[in-house]
Amino acid sequence: QVQLVESGGGLVQAGGSLRLSCAASGRTFGNYVMGWFRQAPGKDRIVVARIGVSGATTYYSDSVKGRFTISRDNARNTVYLQMSSLKPEDTAVYYCTASKSWASLYDYWGQGTQVTVSS
């Protein structure tokens, strides 16, 4: 069992930056592919970025490529999402996920953190 707790959300103006953090419980954090999803009001939850167990492999959705950076610190059991050049359309609840492999999109979810980008 993995418990995930996100933090770092908030209100920011368009063009600004935020860094989200996700702290994971348990001693097997380094065995999980970690990810960030987001869900805007009235829309489906979609993947934003994922990162492999060592941090060497990453995936980004086209909508955030070049603006967001996912990273992880296995010693601190934490995954980060650095968001830059934020746009109003980035407004959503952001969820941290852990999965046992790249083939599984998610096995565990966090409770989410709200990001609001004002124009």
Side-chain angles (χ1 to χ4, degrees), residues 29-34 51-57 72 74 99 102:
F29 174 79
N31 293 339
Y32 288 90
V33 175
M34 301 300 295
I51 186 167
V53 297
S54 70
T57 304
R72 67 189 295 162
N74 287 345
S99 56
W102 282 97

Side-chain angles (χ1 to χ4, degrees), residues 35-48:
W36 289 95
F37 283 60
R38 69 186 182 190
Q39 186 168 22
K43 296 189 176 181
D44 293 334
R45 196 173 295 189
I46 60 171
V47 62
V48 173

Side-chain angles (χ1 to χ4, degrees), residues 11-78:
L11 174 64
V12 63
Q13 288 189 330
S17 299
L18 276 177
R19 188 176 81 155
L20 306 183
S21 299
C22 172
S25 66
R27 293 176 290 179
T28 59
F29 174 79
N31 293 339
Y32 288 90
V33 175
M34 301 300 295
W36 289 95
F37 283 60
R38 69 186 182 190
Q39 186 168 22
K43 296 189 176 181
D44 293 334
R45 196 173 295 189
I46 60 171
V47 62
V48 173
R50 301 181 75 199
I51 186 167
V53 297
S54 70
T57 304
T58 56
Y59 163 84
Y60 296 94
S61 69
D62 287 343
S63 61
V64 307
K65 201 173 293 183
R67 299 188 298 121
F68 290 10
T69 301
I70 188 170
S71 62
R72 67 189 295 162
D73 184 339
N74 287 345
R76 296 178 183 270
N77 283 13
T78 302

